[in-house]
Amino acid sequence: MDNKLYVSSSPHFRSNSSTTKIMLDVIIALIPASIASIVFFGIRSLVLISTCVATCLLCEYLSRKILKRDNTISDLSAVVTGLLLALNLPVTLNPFIAMFGCVVAIVVVKQMFGGIGMNFVNPAIAARIVLFVSFPTAMTKWADPFFYAKDAVDSVASATPLVAENGAYSYVDLLIGNCSGSLGETCAIALLLGGVYLVLRKVISPIIPCVYIATSALLSLILGQDPLYQVMSGGLLLGAIFMATDYTTSPITKWGKVIFAVGCGVLTILLRTYSNMPEGVSFSIILMNILVPLIEKATTPKAFGKIKKAKGDK
């Protein structure tokens, strides 16, 4: 009777993980792709990344201040949003346009819905789509790798692997990033390194990236396309590893993750093949984000057994 029992509300077991630690791991995982973008696209890449991160932090701070909420810039989620948005942009983009995208991502998509954990679509993807629709010419003006060391006239307005002629880029080019495209989508090795790090750190489950990539490859093969070329081209790896796995906007159940990833893969290849857009990653992920509540409702495990009625209950 001398032993005292303490009664407290759940959770009774706590993880060592925190939002800040998780976001820091994501930032570390994005470092290889960020470095690769600076190597291939020069100082303008660093300027664009720095601008997006700084603007997202400022928007987060000011919006929380205006809404009279506790400030959350220390959780590093705004840094991750800024990094992801920057890596989805062409190096030729005017930094002021990128800043507009940051305002959309943080203020409109994230804070107006309550902040981290409350948004129903990925902020970086939503901002990229808004920029693509609002500034289509600027968002599709690409540059060749190492354009800063060449004649600028001959190096800008190059075609990405998805719109270039067949054979314009080799597998090696796509693997190391020696091709035009958005800052973070060209170097497959850098993205895969980041993905492996996140899986080893148990920040993300490998289900969504693996199923997404496998689905895209299989459908590409069925449609008579080169599966490996499709997987390594465009933003598929960036989207599958870093954006489709977002905690808030992806399912939490195992089969929910599978359905979500299959949907992303199918939509990506169908949009690439049959729409007037060469890329379909952003639109496919955001469409599946909207369906997440329905997917989770359909895949939530049912409890075993049933409630036993007491005598006298009807």
Side-chain angles (χ1 to χ4, degrees), residues 67-95:
L67 294 171
K68 296 182 179 179
R69 298 171 180 167
D70 293 335
N71 231 292
T72 53
I73 58 172
S74 60
D75 66 14
L76 301 179
S77 61
V79 176
V80 171
T81 300
L83 262 177
L84 285 174
L85 178 57
L87 295 177
N88 274 280
L89 303 176
V91 70
T92 58
L93 190 71
N94 188 315

Side-chain angles (χ1 to χ4, degrees), residues 8-308:
S8 64
S9 60
S10 61
H12 303 294
F13 294 94
R14 297 182 182 273
S15 170
N16 291 325
S17 297
S18 65
T19 301
T20 303
K21 290 180 180 178
I22 291 171
M23 294 300 164
L24 181 59
D25 276 331
V26 176
I27 293 169
I28 293 172
L30 286 169
I31 287 176
S34 301
I35 292 175
S37 73
I38 296 170
V39 170
F40 286 110
F41 299 115
I43 193 67
R44 291 183 64 170
S45 175
L46 179 60
V47 170
L48 206 55
I49 292 172
S50 302
T51 300
C52 287
V53 171
T55 305
C56 283
L57 284 170
L58 181 61
C59 288
E60 178 105 342
Y61 177 80
L62 292 177
S63 58
R64 300 290 294 189
K65 201 79 171 175
I66 293 170
L67 294 171
K68 296 182 179 179
R69 298 171 180 167
D70 293 335
N71 231 292
T72 53
I73 58 172
S74 60
D75 66 14
L76 301 179
S77 61
V79 176
V80 171
T81 300
L83 262 177
L84 285 174
L85 178 57
L87 295 177
N88 274 280
L89 303 176
V91 70
T92 58
L93 190 71
N94 188 315
F96 288 105
I97 296 178
M99 291 171 69
F100 172 70
C102 294
V103 174
V104 172
I106 298 296
V107 179
V108 179
V109 181
K110 185 180 178 184
Q111 295 303 331
M112 284 190 177
F113 285 90
I116 187 171
M118 304 296 289
N119 49 285
F120 69 97
V121 294
N122 185 288
I125 294 179
R128 184 184 188 276
I129 290 175
V130 169
L131 291 181
F132 178 78
V133 174
S134 305
F135 309 96
T137 303
M139 286 291 290
T140 54
K141 187 178 181 182
W142 313 106
D144 286 329
F146 306 109
F147 73 96
Y148 51 89
K150 305 174 185 177
D151 184 354
V153 175
D154 296 332
S155 302
V156 179
S158 179
T160 65
L162 289 174
V163 297
E165 296 181 2
N166 292 333
Y169 295 104
S170 67
Y171 291 149
V172 175
D173 289 331
L174 298 174
L175 197 61
I176 65 175
N178 188 30
C179 54
S180 59
S182 297
L183 297 184
E185 68 181 24
T186 61
C187 184
I189 290 179
L191 295 170
L192 291 172
L193 284 174
V196 170
Y197 174 82
L198 291 179
V199 171
L200 291 177
R201 292 283 294 171
K202 297 182 179 180
V203 173
I204 65 171
S205 164
I207 294 175
I208 290 179
C210 291
V211 174
Y212 189 162
I213 293 169
T215 302
S216 301
L218 179 60
L219 186 55
S220 299
L221 185 63
I222 293 172
L223 295 176
Q225 300 168 355
D226 185 338
L228 191 57
Y229 194 89
Q230 286 292 325
V231 168
M232 292 196 297
S233 300
L236 199 150
L237 289 177
L238 179 63
I241 296 169
F242 293 99
M243 292 184 286
T245 55
D246 177 41
Y247 286 0
T248 306
T249 58
S250 63
I252 60 174
T253 61
K254 179 180 177 181
W255 284 109
K257 292 178 188 292
V258 173
I259 294 171
F260 176 81
V262 169
C264 288
V266 170
L267 286 173
T268 296
I269 300 304
L270 290 180
L271 287 172
R272 283 182 174 183
T273 306
Y274 298 111
S275 73
N276 60 354
M277 300 177 297
E279 182 59 278
V281 172
S282 296
F283 288 94
S284 66
I285 293 177
I286 208 166
L287 286 172
M288 293 307 298
N289 284 163
I290 297 171
L291 295 177
V292 165
L294 295 176
I295 294 172
E296 288 191 334
K297 184 177 181 181
T299 57
T300 299
K302 295 181 180 179
F304 288 104
K306 60 182 179 179
I307 299 175
K308 185 177 181 181

